[in-house]
Amino acid sequence: MLLFALLLLVCVMVICDQTVAYTAKGRLYDNVDSIPHRKIGLVLGTSPISTWTGRRNYYFDYRIKAGAELYNAGKVDWLVVSGGDYRNTENGYDEPTAMRDSLIKQGVDSVRIILDYDGTRTLNSIAKMREVYSQDSIILISQKYHNERALYQAEHLGIDALAFNAKTPERRSSWWRNRGREVLARVKLFIDVIRGVHPDIKEPMIRDFTKAQSDALSMSHVETGYGDLICLRPDMGHLQMDMVCGAIPSAENDSIILAFAGAFTGTDFYKGHSNVAGDHVSSGKRFKGYRCKRNTGAFTWSEISGPQFHYKVYSPALDAAAKEGGMGFAQEMMIHKGKAVKTTRPLGNKNVFRALCLDSSGNLAFYESLGVVTFGNFIEALLSQDVKEALYTDMGQGWNYCFYRTNNVGALPEYLHSQPLPYASNFIVMKIK
C-alpha cells in the first residue's frame, strides 16, 4: 500500500511537471533578436544573496542581465521588478530595490523601472500585471524552469505572455535544489488551481504606469573614480520648493515628488524653528535658528529668482527669498564656482553623504553617495560631474530619510532611506506646481 502511494505521488509529480513544460512550448525564447516586442517586461524576483548559503546569487545576476538585454535591445519599453522586502530575515534583501539598482548599472533608465512589492509569489506578480497595472501582454524574465510555470499561470489568468530565459547557473548542487523545489511548486500550482486560490495583492489602486508623465524628476546611477553616486534631477519648470519645519513629510502625500532632510538640527525638538541650525526661510517667512560654525553657505529658491547658492555672506539672500515668498537654509558649502572650498568637516570622515547641487547648465541636481565613502572622495566625485555649486544636506541615522517619485503625482513613492527620526525638525520638499 505504501509503495502504491509512493508510485502515485511520483506519477502526479511527473504529470504536473510535464504538463507545465508542454504548455510553455513555443513561447520560450533564448535569443533576444528572435523574441517579439512587448511593452512590458516582468522580472521575477529573487535575492542578490542566496538565502541557502549566504553567497552571491547568480540566478539574480542572470535575471538582471536578461532584463537589461531586452530593454537595451528595444524589446521592452518598461521593466517591472517584482519581489518582496525581506530585510528583516537572514540573508534577506529589499528585492525590488536591489533589482532596480542593478538594472540602472546596466543602462536601464530608472524612470522605466517599476517596483512591485507584491511579488512574494509568482502568482501575485503575474496577476498584478492585469488587475492593478492594466497590462495583458507581457514578457516574463527568469530562468527557463521558472518561466515555464509562470507561463502556465499567465495563461490561466488570461494574460498573453511570452518568456525570455535568463541563463541558469552552472553549479549542479544549486540547480538540483532549485529544480526539485520547482517540481513541488508545479504540484502546488495545480492544487491552487483546483482550490481556486486567489492572488494576494495589497496594492489596490489601479494605475497604468505606461501612460504616466515622467518629466518632473529623473533618477540615475553615476559611476565615478571616487565612488558611485545616485543622482536625482528635478525639473523646476514643473515643481515648487519649500522648507517644512516641525513635521515629517508623509510619503502618502502623493503630491510630493521629492523630500529630504535639509539643515542641521539640535536635540530640543520641541523648540521648533529655534532647533534648526542657522537662519532659514520657510513659506516666505524668515526664522532665527541657533548658530552653527559649519554653516558656511546657503541655498535659496523662489518662483522669481529660482535656485541660488551663496557662499560666506548669505543673510541678504535669505531676506530676499523671504520677500519673494520663497525658501532658504544654511549649511556647509562644499563646492563654489566649480571649485572645492575649505570645509570644517574632515575630508577623511566616512559616511553616506548627500548634497544639493547646481550643474554646469544652471540646473538643480541632488546627489548622494552609493554607500559609505570619505567626504573628500564625495566632493571629488561631484567635481567629476562638473558640479558648480554643492551644499551639504543633513544625513545620519534618521536624518537620511528621503523619498521621491519619478512618475509624478499619484505614483508610488520610492525610498533612498525610509526611516526618519520621530521628531525631525526640517525637510526640503518639492511638489508639482
Side-chain angles (χ1 to χ4, degrees):
M1 188 67 181
L2 179 60
L3 179 60
F4 176 77
L6 289 173
L7 287 173
L8 180 62
L9 177 61
V10 170
C11 288
V12 169
M13 293 172 65
V14 170
I15 291 171
C16 291
D17 183 62
Q18 291 305 304
T19 300
V20 168
Y22 180 80
T23 304
K25 284 185 176 181
R27 293 184 290 157
L28 292 164
Y29 292 82
D30 297 295
N31 190 304
V32 72
D33 293 328
S34 62
I35 191 169
H37 172 271
R38 294 284 171 91
K39 189 185 296 184
I40 310 298
L42 173 60
V43 186
L44 297 172
T46 187
S47 172
I49 300 297
S50 171
T51 56
W52 291 79
T53 65
R55 299 172 183 167
R56 181 176 177 179
N57 184 5
Y58 288 98
Y59 286 86
F60 175 93
D61 293 345
Y62 292 141
R63 289 184 201 181
I64 293 301
K65 184 178 179 180
E69 187 177 2
L70 284 175
Y71 176 84
N72 291 327
K75 295 295 184 175
V76 294
D77 304 321
W78 300 80
L79 287 172
V80 175
V81 290
S82 186
D85 187 349
Y86 301 107
R87 285 175 293 182
N88 293 327
T89 62
E90 185 177 2
N91 297 327
Y93 271 78
D94 177 341
E95 290 181 350
T97 296
M99 287 191 285
R100 178 203 63 192
D101 292 346
S102 297
L103 285 167
I104 290 171
K105 289 182 179 180
Q106 297 204 29
V108 180
D109 187 343
S110 65
V111 301
R112 293 285 172 165
I113 304 173
I114 305 300
L115 277 68
D116 168 30
Y117 283 93
D118 278 319
T120 52
R121 293 182 61 193
T122 304
L123 175 65
N124 293 350
S125 300
I126 298 171
K128 189 171 181 178
M129 296 303 300
R130 185 171 187 175
E131 295 183 15
V132 174
Y133 296 142
S134 304
Q135 306 298 318
D136 56 10
S137 179
I138 61 174
I139 294 178
L140 298 161
I141 304 163
S142 187
Q143 275 69 35
K144 181 181 178 181
Y145 65 83
H146 191 192
N147 276 337
E148 290 176 340
R149 174 162 52 94
L151 283 169
Y152 190 95
Q153 289 176 317
E155 183 176 29
H156 178 69
L157 294 168
I159 297 174
D160 177 20
L162 303 174
F164 185 63
N165 296 330
K167 180 180 177 181
T168 299
E170 296 176 356
R171 186 188 293 267
R172 299 300 296 175
S173 59
S174 66
W175 186 90
W176 280 108
R177 181 174 60 242
N178 285 285
R179 188 64 182 89
R181 189 167 58 178
E182 178 63 24
V183 170
L184 296 177
R186 293 182 182 190
V187 175
K188 186 177 186 302
L189 165 63
F190 283 95
I191 293 174
D192 289 346
V193 170
I194 293 170
R195 292 174 56 212
V197 172
H198 295 286
D200 179 22
I201 299 176
K202 297 181 176 61
E203 181 188 344
M205 182 178 67
I206 297 175
R207 62 188 183 101
D208 183 353
F209 55 80
T210 65
K211 297 179 180 178
Q213 298 298 314
S214 56
D215 56 358
L217 184 76
S218 65
M219 186 270 200
S220 60
H221 174 271
V222 181
E223 295 184 356
T224 81
Y226 305 95
D228 292 357
L229 301 170
I230 296 169
C231 178
L232 298 174
R233 290 188 177 276
D235 182 349
M236 297 310 297
H238 296 83
L239 301 172
Q240 57 186 3
M241 294 183 69
D242 201 1
M243 184 176 188
V244 176
C245 297
I248 301 173
S250 171
E252 295 181 2
N253 182 347
D254 62 8
S255 69
I256 299 177
I257 299 300
L258 175 62
F260 58 94
F264 291 120
T265 59
T267 55
D268 298 324
F269 298 106
Y270 62 90
K271 289 186 178 180
H273 287 282
S274 63
N275 187 52
V276 178
D279 292 1
H280 53 281
V281 178
S282 174
S283 300
K285 295 182 180 180
R286 178 159 178 170
F287 297 90
K288 197 103 178 144
Y290 68 88
R291 296 186 64 182
C292 179
K293 68 177 182 178
R294 283 190 172 174
N295 286 358
T296 55
F299 169 81
T300 60
W301 178 88
S302 72
E303 287 277 11
I304 298 172
S305 300
Q308 295 187 343
F309 290 79
H310 315 275
Y311 184 44
K312 293 184 177 179
V313 179
Y314 52 81
S315 185
L318 294 176
D319 288 334
K323 289 180 182 178
E324 294 175 357
M327 53 79 65
F329 68 101
Q331 258 284 6
E332 185 170 15
M333 186 67 81
M334 301 157 58
I335 298 172
H336 181 58
K337 293 184 177 180
K339 296 182 179 181
V341 299
K342 185 177 180 180
T343 59
T344 56
R345 182 189 302 272
L347 296 180
N349 183 240
K350 292 184 177 181
N351 207 334
V352 177
F353 296 107
R354 176 187 297 162
L356 188 60
C357 304
L358 198 70
D359 65 20
S360 58
S361 300
N363 298 316
L364 274 182
F366 168 106
Y367 283 99
E368 181 176 310
S369 63
L370 190 60
V372 175
V373 297
T374 66
F375 192 48
N377 277 353
F378 181 58
I379 293 173
E380 291 296 333
L382 296 179
L383 289 170
S384 74
Q385 300 307 301
D386 206 18
V387 165
K388 300 304 179 186
E389 304 285 342
L391 189 72
Y392 182 79
T393 70
D394 208 2
M395 293 289 286
Q397 189 65 39
W399 278 109
N400 50 16
Y401 177 64
C402 174
F403 67 87
Y404 64 95
R405 288 177 168 85
T406 54
N407 285 314
N408 294 351
V409 174
L412 293 178
E414 300 183 49
Y415 293 90
L416 290 184
H417 308 277
S418 59
Q419 295 296 323
L421 288 174
Y423 302 105
S425 294
N426 73 93
F427 287 88
I428 309 306
V429 171
M430 297 184 186
K431 295 182 177 182
I432 293 286
K433 290 181 180 179

